[in-house]
């Protein structure tokens, strides 16, 4: 488990990111466009926490660089992603 301050330092080396975050002001959008861009090509993301923790626009734009995404909870049921399968 990492603090928010440590996140940017470890994301470039993260092959599997598992998120289990509560819905708080501090965690809203924590996986931002900038942080998604820090993930290496082929990274896996598993979110079993609150959907508000992810910037879904940034996530869908970056799908060409990821192999797999598992989303259990989303913020908006209308998520449209082409070329990839997103399991919800």
């Amino acid at each position: 488990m990492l603090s928010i301050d440590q996140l940017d330092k470890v994301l470039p080396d993260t092959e599997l990111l598992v998120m289990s975050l509560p819905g708080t002001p501090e965690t809203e959008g924590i996986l931002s466009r900038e942080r998604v861009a820090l993930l290496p090509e082929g990274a896996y993301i598993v979110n079993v926490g609150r959907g508000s923790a992810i910037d879904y626009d940034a996530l869908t734009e970056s799908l060409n660089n990821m192999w797999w995404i598992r989303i259990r909870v989303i913020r908006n049921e209308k998520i449209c992603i082409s070329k990839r399968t997103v399991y919800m």
Side-chain angles (χ1 to χ4, degrees):
M1 187 164 34
L2 300 172
S3 70
I4 293 172
D5 296 335
Q6 296 170 308
L7 193 55
D8 293 342
K9 295 176 187 172
V10 300
L11 285 177
D13 298 318
T14 301
E15 295 178 11
L16 172 62
L17 176 63
V18 178
M19 297 175 55
S20 178
L21 299 170
T24 67
E26 292 81 20
T27 62
E28 185 170 342
I30 194 168
L31 191 59
S32 63
R33 181 175 312 279
E34 294 78 17
R35 288 189 172 123
V36 169
L38 290 174
L39 289 166
E41 186 172 333
Y44 292 80
I45 298 173
V46 178
N47 182 31
V48 295
R50 293 290 168 238
S52 61
I54 297 176
D55 178 341
Y56 285 96
D57 291 333
L59 190 62
T60 56
E61 290 170 10
S62 67
L63 283 177
N64 288 333
N65 295 327
M66 294 181 196
W67 290 98
W68 188 84
I69 298 173
R70 173 71 166 120
I71 301 173
R72 177 73 174 97
V73 181
I74 61 172
R75 183 179 37 180
N76 181 350
E77 291 296 329
K78 296 179 181 178
I79 186 168
C80 180
I81 300 173
S82 61
K83 296 184 183 180
R84 299 279 191 216
T85 302
V86 174
Y87 299 93
M88 295 183 228

